[in-house]
């Protein structure tokens, strides 16, 4: 039996300079994500599309969500397997395309976690965990583009 979950987010456009969208260049592509009980996240469009490069954009957020979900499942499954993870950092890379019409999409993502484990850890077993995650990660199961894993391990 499956359970359903609801997720609620409040997206509030903050880019009205006084005349709304009266002209295409007359408004900012900024907004806030306001989730109850959490600090607001200021966001903007991709800088290529006129956004503020100092703020997160939807593409940043999707890639970060994918990487974070993978990490949390990796930590969980590693713990279940008796593998002690001492550190985990990822610098994921996504490749997207934009058509002449402006329509865009992700073509692929590569997660590149750097995982620190104690000396003597079975690195083959540690690496095998990545193959299980796409079956359980909420975000990975929801995206329609290929996700590759290029993990590196450091022992301490």
């Amino acid at each position: 039996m499956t359970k359903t979950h609801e997720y609620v987010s409040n997206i509030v456009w903050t880019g009205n300079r006084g005349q709304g969208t009266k002209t295409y260049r007359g408004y900012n592509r900024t907004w806030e994500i306001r989730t109850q009980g959490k600090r607001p996240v200021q966001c903007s469009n991709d800088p290529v599309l006129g956004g503020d490069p100092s703020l997160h954009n939807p593409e940043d957020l999707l890639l970060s969500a994918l990487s974070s979900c993978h990490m949390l499942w990796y930590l969980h499954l590693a713990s279940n397997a008796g593998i002690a993870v001492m550190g985990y950092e990822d610098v994921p890379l996504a490749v997207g395309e934009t058509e002449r019409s402006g329509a865009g999409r992700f073509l692929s993502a590569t997660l590149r976690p750097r995982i620190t484990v104690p000396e003597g850890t079975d690195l083959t077993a540690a690496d095998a965990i990545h193959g299980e995650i796409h079956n359980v990660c909420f975000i990975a199961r929801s995206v329609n583009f290929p996700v590759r894993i290029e993990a590196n391990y450091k022992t301490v």
Side-chain angles (χ1 to χ4, degrees), residues 4 45 52 76 87 93 127:
T4 60
N45 205 3
D52 182 339
H76 174 82
L93 171 69
D127 200 51

Side-chain angles (χ1 to χ4, degrees), residues 31-132:
W31 70 93
E32 286 185 351
I33 300 170
R34 299 177 185 169
T35 307
Q36 188 174 6
K38 301 173 186 176
R39 284 182 260 151
V41 177
Q42 294 181 333
C43 301
S44 183
N45 205 3
D46 187 315
V48 171
L49 303 171
D52 182 339
S54 70
L55 300 177
H56 295 290
N57 60 55
E59 296 79 10
D60 294 336
L61 297 171
L62 178 59
L63 182 59
S64 296
L66 178 64
S67 175
S68 298
C69 189
H70 185 92
M71 177 192 68
L72 292 169
W73 271 106
Y74 186 88
L75 298 173
H76 174 82
L77 296 174
S79 178
N80 285 354
I83 296 172
V85 175
M86 308 306 289
Y88 188 110
E89 182 177 343
D90 192 7
V91 182
L93 171 69
V95 176
E97 71 176 0
T98 305
E99 298 174 3
R100 284 187 178 165
S101 68
R105 66 181 179 139
F106 280 109
L107 297 175
S108 66
T110 303
L111 305 183
R112 304 178 295 184
R114 295 183 299 247
I115 301 166
T116 304
V117 294
E119 188 76 39
T121 298
D122 180 346
L123 297 181
T124 301
D127 200 51
I129 293 170
H130 294 288
E132 301 173 37

